Amino acid sequence: MESLDWQNFLDKLTKVSLLDGVVQNFKLLLNDEDRLKFCLNHKLISTKLCDWLARNALPDGSQLKNTKVALKFKTEGNSYYVRKKEDRALDCYNKGLLHATKSELGVLYGNRSAVLFSKSCWNECIRDIEAACMNDFPLSKQWKLYKRKGEVFTKLLDVSSAIDCFRKVVKLLKDKDEYLEEQSKVTKLIESLNENKKVENGVFGEKQQGGENSQFAPVGGYNDTIPNASKLLTLCNNTEEGRHLIARDNLEKGSIIISENPYAAVLLPPWYSSRCQHCFCEVTILFPCHVCTKVCYCSPKCQEESWNLYHWFECGKLSLMEKIGIAHLAMRIILVTKMSTLLRFIDVKKETDVIPGCNQDGIYNASYESVYNLLPHSQNIQVEDRFQYTLAGVLIYKVLEESVFFQEEVSSDVKYHVGGLIIRHIQQLVCNAHAITSLHSKMASASSNLLEQDQVRIATAIYPTTSLLNHSCEPSIVNSFYKDRLIVKLAKNVKAGDQIYNCYGPHYRRMNFADRQQTLKQQYFFTCKCPHCLLGAVAMEEMDCFRCGVCDQKLSIQDGDMCSHCGTQISGYYEQCRKKAVEAKRLLESGLDVLQQNQDTSISKAIKLLLKSLKIQEEIYFKYHSSLAKTFDVIAKCYTMLQNYAESLIYLKRSVTITESRYGKDSIEVANELLKLSDVYMALIQQHVDAKDLNSIHNLLPEAIATVNKSIVVVELTKEPDSEDLKELKVNQQSLKQLQYLS
């Protein structure tokens, strides 16, 4: 068979298997382990899978360590450092570490510590010095590292640690006549520190009490029976709704109700070079895998944990894993689970008196037991899909079997059992996998102060506690992430006794009724009966309609020749609006095309075209039409690029109004628009400050303060707890307060 990508290969093999009657026989099998054996023992299937694996599992030479490349980057880094170009030096040392074998690591860490010292990154500098010493930094030069470390501790006011480091310097330089002057300097430094000792046990190494877990603890504290959830929630189970979470008490919007690390998670390939493979935080000072160049880490801790849990097996195989999609996460679940735990789930018998996923004490602790008991929906999945999921499981089984995963004494029955679990997890993940997202920011243009932000998917994970939540097209919650930790907050007030709902994707504000019903039925196998679905086809997309020229209300195609709101005769009006809509769209697209030209006059030309389009749109479209929001936003961007912030505010405000009506006042879409609005307010006020126009400053301040305060509330609800946006907003908030006293 010719080389095909994974999905095309599956589709082609499924088609062949359907024609040969293989899928019909497969359909009769009752459990995943039997399906695994069937495919393994079927000559056609097994041969085709082995052929595909042979073509796609070849080692990637670019992932191998390369001393020549590492030394090249080290030399470049040294050159940049001497020229005081610290950022470029840091980038080179990072790349050098990524390609370095064991013998070059120590020097590269040591050199990078010098850059970090220059950048006043004290804790990071200490970490690199320790890494250098652990990786055979030349003994004859280690005194330089300890001297630098002592200087860092001095900066951190940790005098005792600084003295210890300087004493180590003296010890390393003992009997070395060429360094007598250096010894004398360090000895005097130690004496000076002892004489002026003021602070003991300084800043380095201190942590906030309770660490991250307490920072993001659920309201009311952690639950005794659902350890990742608030103690103000109760786990319930019934035939109609399955497992679900109920509020024990009245809960306020913004309250954290679940704070959960994933059982297993997989970083997506586009982010391998910029995010930690283990915790997914952004990496600016990387720590490499010691074997491959494919991944990076934010710390030695993540580096070690990743290797011990799963990377020991995946190292060198990630190019293959990238091709098999969600099946990679299924394999990761197996890798992070002890074999002794996996074997407990042979011939599992249901316990009638315990909620599935809970242990015998009734505790749902998000363990493998909780993962195992997530619904795989095997009986509901189309046979062709189940066949393809099984093929993916068989492929992973072959990868495990042909490697060092299984010990020699492991029997075939145990291997088949593990293979069956992989297939089960693939089916579960289709319905239960969570996307880990992050905001990706970029400047609207080189001449603009306006940031554009996109919500991007960086990883896929399984969160067993959050998976307990049932679906509603209007959820009770909003999700945000700190690294790989999922923080679930309430998006609205919840009363005692109310069920807490998640949204599985189809949101009533973002998808019409028919599409929501179809998506949920196809992927999740249920018919949604939330309040919005019970209303039927009444949906937010009806905002994208024409308006009555008399009463300004929405016109429905069902209105015929008369507005249902005011009774005005509208015969032929729809056709007129359609023609004008075509012209409005042409002008909008022309304006966008002109804007892309990046010429001196292109912004002004674009504004003229956009304003012409806007005039037509306001004549024909309902006031909350999506095209109006887009046009307002682009015009605001143009004026921002011209630094005409006063004019930009007019259009951004109108964009915010539409966005609030379409998506809700606490939505991520509104948060993004409010951030733009806040930035423009700050830019305009800065213009007035530069011009020393006190009247304009004081006239604008109330609006600006109200906008920034509103932005903080929405961003705190919808974005990451450590969001840079939130930090900047709070700085702006303080700046605006200070301006109130300007006279």
Side-chain angles (χ1 to χ4, degrees), residues 441-724:
S441 301
K442 62 179 180 179
M443 298 304 293
S445 75
S447 59
S448 169
N449 292 324
L450 195 63
L451 276 177
E452 291 183 340
Q453 294 188 322
D454 295 316
Q455 195 85 6
V456 294
R457 181 173 186 156
I458 63 168
T460 307
I462 187 74
Y463 293 97
T465 306
T466 308
S467 291
L468 292 170
L469 299 176
N470 282 332
H471 167 84
S472 171
C473 296
E474 183 180 8
S476 317
I477 65 163
V478 60
N479 295 330
S480 61
F481 296 91
Y482 176 78
K483 299 180 181 179
D484 62 346
R485 190 173 190 82
L486 173 59
I487 295 100
V488 180
K489 298 178 184 176
L490 289 177
K492 56 186 178 181
N493 294 334
V494 171
K495 294 179 181 179
D498 285 353
Q499 186 174 165
I500 310 293
Y501 290 101
N502 195 358
C503 177
Y504 294 176
H507 194 291
Y508 87 101
R509 289 186 181 271
R510 299 173 180 86
M511 188 180 291
N512 65 46
F513 168 72
D515 289 344
R516 296 201 310 272
Q517 290 284 300
Q518 182 180 16
T519 299
L520 292 168
K521 194 70 173 175
Q522 286 181 346
Q523 185 171 352
Y524 299 98
F525 313 108
F526 69 87
T527 300
C528 183
K529 296 179 181 178
C530 74
H532 294 283
C533 285
L534 291 176
L535 287 173
V538 178
M540 292 303 292
E541 75 275 8
E542 289 190 352
M543 287 187 173
D544 285 344
C545 61
F546 298 128
R547 72 175 185 89
C548 173
V550 176
C551 68
D552 287 340
Q553 295 301 310
K554 294 183 288 184
L555 284 178
S556 170
I557 193 71
Q558 285 79 27
D559 287 345
D561 292 336
M562 182 181 293
C563 173
S564 59
H565 296 282
C566 68
T568 301
Q569 292 293 322
I570 55 172
S571 179
Y573 181 69
Y574 256 98
E575 190 56 37
Q576 295 174 31
C577 288
R578 286 193 184 97
K579 290 179 180 179
K580 291 181 179 180
V582 171
E583 176 63 8
K585 183 179 180 182
R586 184 191 69 79
L587 288 167
L588 175 59
E589 291 176 347
S590 297
L592 293 171
D593 290 341
V594 170
L595 194 58
Q596 296 299 318
Q597 294 173 8
N598 290 322
Q599 298 175 358
D600 293 340
T601 59
S602 60
I603 300 174
S604 297
K605 287 181 180 178
I607 289 175
K608 290 179 181 179
L609 291 166
L610 293 167
L611 288 174
K612 286 181 180 179
S613 174
L614 180 60
K615 184 177 180 180
I616 298 172
Q617 291 183 52
E618 289 183 313
E619 179 186 339
I620 62 173
Y621 286 147
F622 180 58
K623 60 184 176 182
Y624 298 137
H625 198 288
S626 59
S627 182
L628 283 169
K630 178 181 179 180
T631 309
F632 288 142
D633 200 65
V634 176
I635 294 173
K637 179 170 102 173
C638 290
Y639 281 120
T640 300
M641 292 164 71
L642 293 174
Q643 297 185 6
N644 187 344
Y645 301 117
E647 202 68 24
S648 179
L649 279 178
I650 295 171
Y651 293 95
L652 264 181
K653 287 177 184 178
R654 298 178 75 179
S655 176
V656 169
T657 299
I658 295 177
T659 306
E660 286 180 338
S661 298
R662 293 181 67 88
Y663 299 107
K665 292 185 177 182
D666 296 320
S667 63
I668 187 70
E669 291 86 355
V670 168
N672 292 335
E673 290 300 300
L674 286 174
L675 284 168
K676 295 179 193 175
L677 192 61
S678 298
D679 287 343
V680 173
Y681 267 116
M682 296 303 297
L684 181 55
I685 285 179
Q686 186 60 54
Q687 280 187 340
H688 294 325
V689 169
D690 294 341
K692 299 181 180 179
D693 187 348
L694 293 180
N695 286 335
S696 295
I697 292 172
H698 288 299
N699 288 337
L700 195 61
L701 269 177
E703 290 180 26
I705 291 172
T707 299
V708 169
N709 290 345
K710 182 178 179 181
S711 300
I712 289 174
V713 172
V714 180
V715 169
E716 281 183 331
L717 179 66
T718 58
K719 299 199 176 183
E720 296 94 335
D722 63 335
S723 166
E724 291 299 322

Side-chain angles (χ1 to χ4, degrees), residues 160-439:
S160 294
S161 296
I163 291 172
D164 288 344
C165 290
F166 291 135
R167 284 174 177 163
K168 182 74 173 177
V169 173
V170 173
K171 183 178 180 181
L172 288 168
L173 294 179
K174 188 178 181 181
D175 300 328
K176 294 186 178 181
D177 295 340
E178 66 271 29
Y179 292 114
L180 288 176
E181 185 178 348
E182 190 67 45
Q183 292 179 56
S184 176
K185 287 180 182 178
V186 175
T187 301
K188 289 179 180 178
L189 190 56
I190 293 171
E191 292 172 356
S192 175
L193 287 171
N194 277 322
E195 289 174 7
N196 299 291
K197 198 171 185 179
K198 295 180 180 179
V199 180
E200 288 284 353
N201 300 323
V203 179
F204 181 72
E206 289 186 359
K207 293 184 179 179
Q208 292 181 349
Q209 188 174 1
E212 292 172 6
N213 287 349
S214 64
Q215 184 181 357
F216 309 127
V219 59
Y222 285 96
N223 197 305
D224 292 334
T225 56
I226 326 166
N228 291 317
S230 164
K231 64 169 56 176
L232 302 180
L233 300 183
T234 300
L235 175 59
C236 300
N237 186 38
N238 59 45
T239 305
E240 183 179 349
E241 297 176 297
R243 297 173 299 176
H244 55 280
L245 296 177
I246 297 290
R248 288 184 182 176
D249 203 345
N250 294 336
L251 299 174
E252 293 184 357
K253 181 174 74 173
S255 300
I256 296 176
I257 58 166
I258 297 174
S259 183
E260 180 175 25
N261 285 326
Y263 184 82
V266 170
L267 185 68
L268 299 181
W271 306 97
Y272 282 178
S273 62
S274 60
R275 288 187 176 266
C276 177
Q277 183 72 199
H278 191 56
C279 76
F280 310 149
C281 74
E282 287 193 73
V283 173
T284 54
I285 305 166
L286 70 78
F287 289 81
C289 168
H290 292 316
V291 180
C292 74
T293 62
K294 189 78 170 175
V295 301
C296 65
Y297 300 97
C298 67
S299 66
K301 179 173 181 281
C302 280
Q303 178 191 58
E304 182 180 4
E305 288 181 1
S306 170
W307 182 265
N308 291 338
L309 283 170
Y310 53 84
H311 194 62
W312 67 271
F313 180 83
E314 293 183 354
C315 190
K317 302 182 182 72
L318 278 173
S319 293
L320 171 64
M321 294 301 105
E322 292 168 15
K323 298 170 184 175
I324 60 174
I326 198 70
H328 183 192
L329 181 53
M331 187 183 81
R332 183 71 64 85
I333 291 172
I334 296 298
L335 291 174
V336 302
T337 307
K338 293 180 180 179
M339 181 63 74
S340 58
T341 301
L342 296 175
L343 296 182
R344 283 177 36 224
F345 290 84
I346 297 176
D347 298 327
V348 176
K349 295 180 180 179
K350 293 183 179 179
E351 300 287 345
T352 56
D353 57 339
V354 177
I355 295 177
C358 295
N359 61 25
Q360 292 304 305
D361 296 321
I363 298 174
Y364 189 93
N365 55 15
S367 63
Y368 183 75
E369 188 157 19
S370 302
V371 174
Y372 179 87
N373 280 282
L374 295 173
L375 291 177
H377 293 290
S378 299
Q379 71 282 7
N380 297 317
I381 298 172
Q382 293 282 335
V383 64
E384 291 87 351
D385 291 334
R386 190 161 65 239
F387 181 64
Q388 293 196 356
Y389 299 153
T390 300
L391 293 177
V394 173
L395 182 85
I396 294 174
Y397 174 86
K398 285 181 174 291
V399 173
L400 293 175
E401 189 180 37
E402 293 172 7
S403 67
V404 294
F405 178 78
F406 292 115
Q407 301 297 320
E408 290 183 6
E409 65 272 14
V410 173
S411 67
S412 296
D413 286 343
V414 168
K415 293 179 182 179
Y416 291 148
H417 167 64
V418 172
L421 290 175
I422 294 169
I423 296 169
R424 178 184 181 86
H425 295 322
I426 292 172
Q427 294 170 105
Q428 289 172 322
L429 292 171
V430 173
C431 296
N432 291 285
H434 278 74
I436 296 178
T437 60
S438 181
L439 283 169

